[in-house]
Amino acid sequence: MATARGRPRGFDRDQALERLMQVFWAKGYEGAQLNDLTAAIGVKPPSFYAAFGSKEAAFREAIDLYIATIGAAPMRALDAAATVRAGLRAMLEGSVAVALSAKPGGCLLILGVVNCLPVNESARAHLLNARRKTVKLVADRLRRGIADGELPAGTDIARLAAFFHGIMQAISFQARDGATRAELLALIDPALRALDPD
């Protein structure tokens, strides 16, 4: 008797993509092997390729899902706060929450591609573009702080946006290294001093 080919009955692509996101988050793009991905969603390789096209295509979709869901919370907090200082604090606290929300910890946008073998350059470029969008959102909020009179007109927006993004990266790496919530939250007050007048 011939066996049925293709995805199993009841295959939920959205649910599968969420599981793939978790695998990429835990192992990174380069560490996640095809058998990890297929095991996570309960399909054979042909069904994986039929549903997602390629490992890289699945990774890109997983990154986009992460940005739209888990990764969106810190940036929403940044934008919604009444002041630029409160927004940056909320963003960093949100980054701590995200970094500790899954094992082994950290942020998928920061840790998704670390070694970057030449063959994986386009996956790294996708992450780099996502990180640049994060820096732009921080810069936009700082500009709003200038417009609202919270920051001096001569504030170096590019430098501050890069600095706060760097703090988010530090949170991610330190979470991956096993830092506690208290240790990560302790980074926030010193970081916010960058807003203080010289």
Side-chain angles (χ1 to χ4, degrees):
M1 177 185 260
T3 57
R5 301 190 127 214
R7 294 189 297 271
R9 286 185 189 199
F11 180 84
D12 184 325
R13 193 179 186 283
D14 292 339
Q15 189 176 68
L17 182 59
E18 190 168 333
R19 288 181 183 154
L20 294 178
M21 178 185 73
Q22 296 294 334
V23 174
F24 285 125
W25 193 358
K27 297 190 172 212
Y29 179 72
E30 292 164 329
Q33 302 301 311
L34 180 61
N35 61 330
D36 299 318
L37 301 171
T38 55
I41 61 175
V43 300
K44 301 287 187 198
S47 297
F48 172 83
Y49 290 120
F52 296 101
S54 68
K55 176 183 170 182
E56 183 180 330
F59 179 70
R60 287 171 174 263
E61 280 196 62
I63 291 299
D64 294 343
L65 177 63
Y66 180 91
I67 291 168
T69 57
I70 295 163
M75 306 321 293
R76 277 196 307 266
L78 170 70
D79 188 59
T83 67
V84 67
R85 186 178 295 267
L88 290 166
R89 177 180 294 282
M91 177 190 75
L92 294 175
E93 289 173 349
S95 295
V96 169
V98 168
L100 295 176
S101 67
K103 294 295 181 188
C107 170
L108 178 56
L109 297 186
I110 294 167
L111 299 173
V113 178
V114 176
N115 296 325
C116 195
L117 300 170
V119 70
N120 298 326
E121 177 56 34
S122 62
R124 186 197 73 86
H126 191 70
L127 280 183
L128 180 59
N129 185 52
R131 290 193 296 266
R132 285 180 175 150
K133 288 178 183 174
T134 299
V135 174
K136 182 184 181 306
L137 291 171
V138 175
D140 290 346
R141 186 62 186 89
L142 291 167
R143 281 190 196 89
R144 202 165 104 208
I146 292 173
D148 293 344
E150 298 175 65
L151 299 173
T155 297
D156 188 338
I157 297 291
R159 180 180 63 86
L160 271 181
F163 171 76
F164 282 106
H165 187 251
I167 297 298
M168 294 171 76
Q169 290 175 316
I171 287 168
S172 183
F173 279 105
Q174 289 188 31
R176 180 63 61 97
D177 285 347
T180 66
R181 182 175 303 277
E183 288 168 336
L184 296 175
L185 291 174
L187 299 172
I188 296 175
D189 281 337
L192 291 174
R193 289 189 198 117
L195 298 175
D196 296 341
D198 292 334

